[in-house]
Amino acid sequence: LDFITTKVLNRFTAIHPDSEVAVQPRWKEPKKVMVPYPLSRDENPEKKYQACVAWLAADIKDSFEMLVLDVLEHILIGNSASPLRKKLIDSGLGSALSDGTGFDSDMRDTMFACGLKEIGKDDAEKVEKIIFDTLEELCSTGIEPNLLESAIHQIEFHKKEITNTPHPFGIKILISFAGTWIHGGDPVSCLKFDADLERLKQETTNQDGKASEKNSKANGKNGFLEGKIRQYFLDNPHRVLFVLAPDQEMEEKENTRIRQELQKILDSMTPEQMARINQDAEKLAKLQDAKEDVSVLPTLELSDVKPDIEIIRPDTINNIKASTCYDKATSDILYFTATAGIGVLPLELKQLVPFFCRAFTGAGTSLRDYARMAERMDLYTGGIGISPYSGTGFNGSDHNVSFLSLQGKALNRNIGPLFDITGELMSRYSFSDTARLKNLLLQYRSGMESAIVANGHRYAISLAARALGVSSQIAEMWHGISQFKFIKGLAEQPDIAEKLSSDLSAIAAKVFVRDNLKSAIAGDKDALILADHNIARMVDSLPAGAAIDFRQSIDSLSNDYKKDNANRANQDNQINQPAGEIQKGSQSARGIAGDYYPFEGWMTSTSVSFVAQAFKTVRMDHPDAPALAAISRILRSLYLHREIREKGGAYGGFAMYNAEEGIFSFASYRDPNIRRTLEVYRNACSFITSGDYTEEDIKEAILQVCADIDKPETPGPASIKAFYRTILGLTDEKRKEFKESLLGLDRQSIISAAEKYFTISDDQKGTAVISSREQLESANQNLKANQRELELLLINQ
């Protein structure tokens, strides 16, 4: 800072611009607003409305009120037992909480919102009534003490935990106080929240120190939070009932309006103005094609990067027998994980695995319903969850490896309850609450549907890569459009809940047996000993059973999945055959065992496109892998960013090398140009094989890959990752060899790898586009004569 002051700031005179954001004038009466949004003509608009109630809340500079509202958010909607969330979901009016639900503390005047999505046209007032009736009931009867305790526990836990997910820890701290600071508040108050927390505890306890009981008076000492509910919600006129209404003609009308407006402008322009535009366009093209002088920027040298990698090995501690353990400083938090093989599950059950993971912690047990289990998890843990993993192992056989990953974490003082809860979920599972299962299914489907446009590039990559290997097929089956269509089909079956209950129970019975779990723990020594004792007790409570092989039967999955894809493709093409267009309906019938790679356009409600292409290369343990990793950075920085974002107008263009699976992919994000982007991908292959880049460009690419390899991780999560590398057979030696080879790359090795893998024909690449019907049909009309047409398929049917 002294350097910047001396060299730069001292040359200028400080000014004081008025950048203050004024406090929003408060309304005297609530409002109702209905706003249309575009919906595809291929979708049914009947249950596509959203409604929420939103209130303007406290000033961001008041750290205590921010804490109060944060606690209220946890109490009202924080988990499945939260009264407002539960009443809304159990109403059956919608599928999930509305977009934007929660406490938004980023603005000068903070906001709280809550509502439902996928409701009917006339249901907005019903949603509003449920919200206000629930809030009034809470004020009358009082907030249950355990809801307050679990809310405070969650805040304390996440303040204490140091992680680099989803952002580096330092960035998370900066984000936490940036809003307050920008608006003139005290940033230190956001970090030293202990005083505010102590004040809250005093406000919400009786004189004898006990938590306030139910039936407290809203205007008394013991009704502090009930009074805040009345202040910010019930008696606050600055609120809006906000309704989103589907409009299937909106996009077409808007496109027509824009075309007419542009034509009007064009018709009014003089020849001189047209000439000026052409001149400016030529200047812009030259500027975009010009090479930047990056020599003025500071940079590392490859010699500055150590060839070493972080190596984390298990520790040996007396009396620990049930788990792999890592003795680490984790801020008094115990991290736990366990794997459970699922390789023998039949396809019908395997497709259900992602939903099983949601229902595992969300459906309750034979001892407690889902609401009571949600309360216990929030009261004693930092979270318990289970997720599916599919990948290719590094043990020499290149088999697909599929398993469930169970994870949990808790403060050291709550190690006993953590494993009590986890053990109950595994040994006393119950999927008998069919109404709850239906709600979970609808919430899951709704969440996936919302994510399609938000993460369209990832869905498109998954579709493009699904024919490139068994692991890619399973990834698409579990996390891609195939999973969405499968779940959507289940949700539309009126009597599916009973079968779901039976199938989910069948999965649990196969998976949760004594010898099928391999566990690992990270924390300090005393916590590890206590946790291992609890894990041994937990495992002993499971029924006897042999371990399930992690490896997936390749032939059975390929054959079954090919049939499933064939049936789906034939159905889609029968439904969605555009008039006058010749389709290749049988192409999707050929899976990874055949020679077909998909060339598909998937239709959904979106005004932009996501264009992906993928092809097979080699994996991390191959000598060419480091070059492929560097090539992905060269293409992204030097070619795709310029061609797809700067020239093409997309939000982003990516080149990605999946070293674990040996798949190279291109993708664009929010892209207005399907055909042009496909051409850019073809030219990108020519660019990388041409060698039209400098040694400095190669060095920068290597440094970028090294930055990912050396990305710091906190001790707990880093230890858990090391455990999973062992499960997959990815040894420290292989990782070290990769980095050493990366640092030793030269220009010729880059070009040689490019010539080897980027000269394959387009019919050996999978291609997938997610866009609107109109844009996909337009792209097909404009594809060049030597290009295949996109096979058009519907996402929402």
Side-chain angles (χ1 to χ4, degrees):
L1 292 177
D2 283 342
F3 179 87
I4 294 172
T5 299
T6 303
K7 299 294 184 181
V8 181
L9 297 183
N10 283 348
R11 301 185 182 188
F12 300 91
T13 301
I15 61 174
H16 301 281
D18 182 11
S19 59
E20 181 181 0
V21 176
V23 174
Q24 181 72 18
R26 297 285 163 158
W27 301 346
K28 295 181 179 180
E29 299 289 339
K31 299 181 180 181
K32 179 179 178 180
V33 176
M34 179 176 287
V35 175
Y37 75 93
L39 184 72
S40 169
R41 293 182 181 276
D42 298 310
E43 296 187 51
N44 184 351
E46 184 179 349
K47 294 276 285 186
K48 289 295 183 180
Y49 289 78
Q50 284 198 52
C52 75
V53 180
W55 297 263
L56 209 64
D59 192 307
I60 194 174
K61 294 188 289 185
D62 192 328
S63 61
F64 179 69
E65 294 302 316
M66 293 298 97
L67 176 61
V68 168
L69 285 160
D70 201 9
V71 168
L72 286 177
E73 178 186 37
H74 280 277
I75 290 173
L76 295 174
I77 58 173
N79 61 53
S80 299
S82 299
L84 188 51
R85 173 190 286 265
K86 191 173 187 301
K87 286 289 181 66
L88 285 168
I89 296 299
D90 289 353
S91 72
L93 291 174
S95 63
L97 296 182
S98 63
D99 298 331
T101 289
F103 176 48
D104 185 344
S105 59
D106 291 332
M107 298 177 288
R108 169 67 188 273
D109 292 282
T110 59
M111 182 185 77
F112 192 99
C114 190
L116 279 174
K117 64 195 309 180
E118 294 192 332
I119 64 172
K121 181 178 180 180
D122 301 321
D123 290 339
E125 282 77 12
K126 298 175 186 177
V127 171
E128 183 181 39
K129 186 176 188 305
I130 291 171
I131 291 171
F132 279 93
D133 286 350
T134 305
L135 294 173
E136 189 65 61
E137 182 181 352
L138 284 171
C139 285
S140 299
T141 63
I143 295 169
E144 293 187 5
N146 57 336
L147 290 176
L148 172 59
E149 290 174 23
S150 64
I152 291 177
H153 171 261
Q154 287 298 306
I155 292 171
E156 284 184 307
F157 184 95
H158 292 294
K159 290 284 187 180
K160 188 178 188 66
E161 186 180 31
I162 299 174
T163 70
N164 291 323
T165 305
H167 311 293
F169 184 66
I171 297 295
K172 288 197 287 188
I173 292 177
L174 288 172
I175 291 173
S176 71
F177 65 71
T180 298
W181 197 6
I182 286 170
H183 292 293
D186 178 13
V188 178
S189 67
C190 298
L191 303 178
K192 296 183 177 180
F193 79 109
D194 291 347
D196 287 333
L197 190 59
E198 185 59 32
R199 177 183 166 189
L200 178 63
K201 289 178 179 178
Q202 291 176 1
E203 294 281 8
T204 54
T205 56
N206 293 316
Q207 292 180 354
D208 60 2
K210 295 181 180 179
S212 59
E213 299 295 329
K214 290 178 66 174
N215 301 314
S216 60
K217 296 180 180 179
N219 60 352
K221 176 81 170 178
N222 297 339
F224 176 77
L225 288 177
E226 292 85 352
K228 290 298 180 181
I229 289 176
R230 192 165 294 283
Q231 174 188 342
Y232 286 119
F233 306 130
L234 292 174
D235 296 341
N236 181 3
H238 198 123
R239 70 174 189 267
V240 60
L241 174 59
F242 185 82
V243 182
L244 277 175
D247 186 341
Q248 294 180 293
E249 298 180 354
M250 183 176 177
E251 184 174 0
E252 183 179 342
K253 289 178 180 178
E254 181 65 8
N255 290 338
T256 300
R257 183 192 67 79
I258 291 173
R259 284 194 298 269
Q260 291 174 346
E261 185 175 334
L262 289 174
Q263 187 62 49
K264 184 178 179 180
I265 294 172
L266 181 63
D267 292 343
S268 67
M269 295 187 71
T270 65
E272 293 76 16
Q273 289 173 320
M274 289 293 296
R276 176 64 183 273
I277 289 176
N278 290 331
Q279 291 172 4
D280 288 344
E282 291 176 3
K283 290 180 182 178
L284 177 61
K286 290 179 181 179
L287 180 64
Q288 290 171 332
D289 288 330
K291 292 187 176 180
E292 295 178 308
D293 179 15
V294 297
S295 64
V296 299
L297 300 175
T299 183
L300 293 172
E301 297 300 328
L302 295 182
S303 58
D304 296 321
V305 181
K306 296 180 180 179
D308 301 329
I309 58 170
E310 182 183 28
I311 295 176
I312 301 174
R313 294 191 175 94
D315 294 292
T316 301
I317 299 176
N318 291 337
N319 301 319
I320 291 186
K321 300 177 182 179
S323 310
T324 302
C325 66
Y326 300 86
D327 186 359
K328 302 293 181 184
T330 57
S331 302
D332 294 325
I333 294 174
L334 187 283
Y335 292 88
F336 158 76
T337 192
T339 61
I342 54 172
V344 299
L345 292 178
L347 179 66
E348 182 181 14
L349 294 183
K350 185 155 284 188
Q351 288 177 299
L352 262 180
V353 163
F355 180 67
F356 170 81
C357 293
R358 292 181 68 91
F360 172 71
T361 55
T365 68
S366 60
L367 300 181
R368 295 172 179 85
D369 66 15
Y370 73 91
R372 300 285 80 79
M373 285 301 294
E375 284 181 2
R376 290 192 75 207
M377 282 190 282
D378 266 13
L379 189 58
Y380 294 113
T381 80
I384 298 173
I386 190 168
S387 59
Y389 175 85
S390 173
T392 306
F394 286 88
N395 53 10
S397 61
D398 287 348
H399 275 291
N400 170 263
V401 176
S402 298
F403 55 82
L404 293 181
S405 170
L406 175 63
Q407 300 203 35
K409 54 190 176 182
L411 298 172
N412 286 350
R413 69 173 186 262
N414 292 325
I415 286 175
L418 168 66
F419 292 107
D420 287 342
I421 296 169
T422 306
E424 183 178 327
L425 289 168
M426 286 194 294
S427 63
R428 306 302 295 267
Y429 58 84
S430 173
F431 303 103
S432 59
D433 187 345
T434 54
R436 175 61 177 168
L437 286 183
K438 186 68 175 179
N439 278 341
L440 286 172
L441 189 68
L442 293 176
Q443 291 177 56
Y444 181 37
R445 184 209 63 194
S446 178
M448 289 194 71
E449 187 171 19
S450 297
I452 289 173
V453 174
N455 298 293
H457 60 307
R458 298 190 182 278
Y459 281 101
I461 290 172
S462 179
L463 287 165
R466 74 181 188 276
L468 301 180
V470 174
S471 295
S472 299
Q473 272 196 350
I474 296 177
E476 167 61 22
M477 178 176 68
W478 279 347
H479 308 296
I481 296 299
S482 298
Q483 173 70 187
F484 170 69
K485 290 176 74 68
F486 171 71
I487 293 298
K488 189 173 187 294
L490 291 182
E492 290 171 353
Q493 297 180 33
D495 301 320
I496 192 60
E498 292 291 342
K499 187 175 189 309
L500 270 181
S501 176
S502 174
D503 288 346
L504 296 177
S505 297
I507 294 174
K510 287 179 178 292
V511 170
F512 296 136
V513 294
R514 199 171 299 158
D515 293 333
N516 196 37
L517 294 181
K518 297 180 181 179
S519 62
I521 44 179
D524 62 61
K525 183 178 178 180
D526 291 340
L528 293 174
I529 294 172
L530 178 59
D532 188 72
H533 172 75
N534 278 272
I535 290 171
R537 177 174 53 83
M538 178 182 72
V539 172
D540 285 343
S541 69
L542 297 177
I548 299 175
D549 195 337
F550 283 4
R551 294 177 298 176
Q552 167 66 46
S553 172
I554 294 177
D555 293 336
S556 64
L557 178 70
S558 299
N559 292 332
D560 288 343
Y561 201 58
K562 277 194 300 178
K563 294 175 184 176
D564 181 65
N565 273 345
N567 292 334
R568 185 200 64 206
N570 290 335
Q571 290 170 3
D572 283 337
N573 282 304
Q574 290 170 10
I575 296 171
N576 304 305
Q577 186 87 14
E581 184 160 355
I582 299 175
Q583 301 266 332
K584 306 174 185 67
S586 63
Q587 289 180 344
S588 289
R590 285 173 269 169
I592 62 172
D595 59 355
Y596 170 70
Y597 299 90
F599 196 79
E600 300 168 334
W602 289 81
M603 297 179 284
T604 191
S605 292
T606 175
S607 59
V608 288
S609 305
F610 305 89
V611 185
Q613 194 169 82
F615 53 95
K616 195 73 175 174
T617 57
V618 290
R619 301 177 66 216
M620 184 177 181
D621 52 0
H622 190 280
D624 291 335
L628 290 166
I631 285 171
S632 70
R633 304 311 174 100
I634 293 172
L635 284 173
R636 182 170 181 172
S637 300
L638 300 183
Y639 190 79
L640 295 176
H641 181 84
R642 180 181 71 235
E643 294 296 327
I644 291 179
R645 176 162 181 156
E646 294 180 1
K647 293 183 179 180
Y651 274 28
F654 314 103
M656 288 165 279
Y657 169 56
N658 183 336
E660 286 76 16
E661 298 302 325
I663 293 175
F664 202 98
S665 55
F666 298 116
S668 65
Y669 185 73
R670 300 185 67 83
D671 192 344
N673 297 299
I674 298 173
R675 182 190 59 79
R676 184 184 184 281
T677 295
L678 291 173
E679 191 66 25
V680 167
Y681 294 163
R682 181 179 292 105
N683 294 336
C685 295
S686 301
F687 170 80
I688 200 64
T689 55
S690 72
D692 187 20
Y693 34 88
T694 66
E695 294 286 351
E696 186 70 17
D697 295 329
I698 295 173
K699 183 195 79 172
E700 289 296 330
I702 294 171
L703 288 173
Q704 289 176 35
V705 179
C706 286
D708 279 348
I709 294 174
D710 296 333
K711 183 179 178 180
E713 186 58 271
T714 51
S719 299
I720 299 302
K721 287 182 181 179
F723 171 73
Y724 280 103
R725 286 196 294 267
T726 302
I727 293 290
L728 294 173
L730 180 55
T731 64
D732 295 326
E733 289 73 23
K734 289 176 182 177
R735 295 168 58 229
K736 194 171 187 299
E737 287 173 7
F738 179 89
K739 187 177 181 183
E740 289 174 344
S741 298
L742 178 70
L743 291 170
L745 286 176
D746 57 23
R747 181 184 182 79
Q748 188 53 50
S749 59
I750 294 287
I751 294 175
S752 296
E755 290 174 343
K756 190 181 298 184
Y757 302 104
F758 288 80
T759 54
I760 62 173
S761 61
D762 282 351
D763 60 8
Q764 292 179 279
K765 304 170 184 175
T767 302
V769 182
I770 295 176
S771 189
S772 65
R773 176 189 286 272
E774 294 75 18
Q775 293 190 65
L776 289 169
E777 290 178 343
S778 175
N780 266 352
Q781 293 173 3
N782 292 309
L783 287 173
K784 293 184 178 179
N786 63 342
Q787 293 177 310
R788 287 186 291 166
E789 287 183 339
L790 292 163
E791 179 184 357
L792 302 190
L793 304 167
L794 260 179
I795 287 178
N796 288 292
Q797 282 190 6

